[in-house]
Amino acid sequence: MEMKKLSVIKIGGNVIDNSEKLHQFLLDFKAVPGDKILIHGGGKIATELGLSLGVEAKMVEGRRITDIETLRVVTMVYAGLINKNMVAQLQAKGCNAIGMTGADGNIIKAVKRPVKDIDYGFVGDLDEHSVASGTLDSLMKAGLVPVLCAITHDGESQLLNTNADTIASAVAVAMSDLYDTVLVYCFEKRGVMRDIEDDNSLVPVIRMEEFEGLKAEGVVSGGMIPKLHNAFEAIKKGVAAVYIGKADELPQLNEQGFGTRLTI
């Protein structure tokens, strides 16, 4: 029997911060055919609200240190303000969404990151048993579209801040046992570019064996390296393909013309 198709789509902060872009993205998300799951973070708004509350963002190598005050802020922003705003907008567009943290329905159980060189605080790491794929499947079978924020829990009443890219990958891998699953990362660029300044230099397809060569050439660098590494790990674990592309080009996803496609 042929598996149903599922799109796991992660949206980045730059679209969430812009009400017009978010409105258009959510219209495009609603139009994606088949089953779908939306995953979001929202770092910029969390940073701004934190500052207004006297909680300054602490970053190490681009990663947020989540002390108890920061955890309160990101929970308010991710699980409250952003998540419920997106769900309300999707409802208005005729998409019956349900907004959740990892604690709701025990959807995503994480482990507090152990302290090594750096204490990241209340940050959650995931493993292959973290995502309750059966519960997500039940929600979708009931006609609901899950909208997951970047807050998880440890099963012992502690909420944890977990990277939204990591959540998207873990959800896609977990669901690939039940669905023909693609993972889509939407951000501000058209995809992986040969020249970051040239919008026409898109690399349309990257195969796993080409990844190391593109790193050596410097085509893939900085924050794109862990993103692609995680993407290929997801493919190794059963995800059909991973796309990285521009949020406002999402309608092109089903024409195979969207962003950069990562594949075996």
Side-chain angles (χ1 to χ4, degrees):
M1 196 171 97
E2 194 177 344
M3 279 179 152
K4 287 179 74 180
K5 294 195 180 303
L6 169 67
S7 303
V8 176
I9 300 175
K10 188 264 174 175
I11 184 64
N14 64 308
V15 174
I16 293 166
D17 298 336
N18 183 311
S19 58
E20 284 177 25
K21 282 184 179 177
L22 181 60
H23 166 73
Q24 186 57 52
F25 169 79
L26 293 174
L27 278 174
D28 295 339
F29 172 79
K30 183 208 173 224
V32 172
D35 289 295
K36 48 194 175 268
I37 296 171
L38 181 59
I39 290 147
H40 69 85
K44 190 176 170 190
I45 296 172
T47 301
E48 288 171 359
L49 180 65
L51 284 172
S52 73
L53 296 171
V55 179
E56 196 168 334
K58 302 173 190 74
M59 310 290 279
V60 174
E61 295 170 359
R63 291 171 183 258
R64 188 184 293 270
I65 304 289
T66 307
D67 57 19
I68 193 65
E69 289 83 9
T70 302
L71 181 66
R72 288 173 182 151
V73 171
V74 296
T75 302
M76 284 191 285
V77 173
Y78 301 168
L81 181 65
I82 293 174
N83 188 269
K84 298 313 166 197
N85 175 44
M86 289 171 83
V87 168
Q89 287 199 49
L90 284 168
Q91 296 294 359
K93 294 167 174 53
C95 178
N96 194 9
I98 180 166
M100 309 175 82
T101 69
D104 296 293
N106 199 24
I107 290 282
I108 307 169
K109 198 167 157 186
V111 174
K112 185 175 181 288
R113 183 172 297 165
V115 178
K116 291 180 183 169
D117 298 334
I118 299 163
D119 183 356
Y120 284 100
F122 294 97
V123 167
D125 290 332
L126 307 181
D127 62 29
E128 65 272 21
H129 306 298
S130 291
V131 177
S133 54
T135 307
L136 285 168
D137 183 40
S138 297
L139 290 169
M140 289 188 288
K141 283 193 167 111
L144 294 163
V145 175
V147 179
L148 307 178
C149 72
I151 300 295
T152 59
H153 77 130
D154 68 355
E156 295 176 11
S157 80
Q158 180 61 59
L159 294 172
L160 296 165
N161 183 15
T162 298
N163 180 279
D165 281 357
T166 305
I167 289 175
S169 178
V171 167
V173 168
M175 300 310 292
S176 65
D177 288 340
L178 304 170
Y179 292 80
D180 179 9
T181 305
V182 298
L183 171 58
V184 185
Y185 289 109
C186 292
F187 72 147
E188 68 274 9
K189 293 284 179 188
R190 291 187 61 215
V192 178
M193 318 300 284
R194 287 205 165 272
D195 175 359
I196 202 76
E197 302 300 325
D198 180 3
D199 269 358
N200 296 314
S201 66
L202 178 73
V203 182
V205 178
I206 300 176
R207 300 192 183 281
M208 212 179 287
E209 68 266 18
E210 298 167 338
F211 180 39
E212 292 301 324
L214 289 169
K215 274 199 295 187
E217 284 178 55
V219 172
V220 177
S221 61
M224 194 57 84
I225 292 173
K227 201 182 274 281
L228 263 63
H229 175 75
N230 289 340
F232 283 120
E233 285 299 309
I235 291 168
K236 281 184 200 170
K237 292 172 183 171
V239 175
V242 181
Y243 294 85
I244 298 176
K246 198 170 187 178
D248 59 12
E249 294 181 354
L250 186 61
Q252 296 171 24
L253 180 63
N254 297 300
E255 302 155 22
Q256 304 297 312
F258 174 79
T260 299
R261 184 174 189 259
L262 309 177
T263 182
I264 293 170

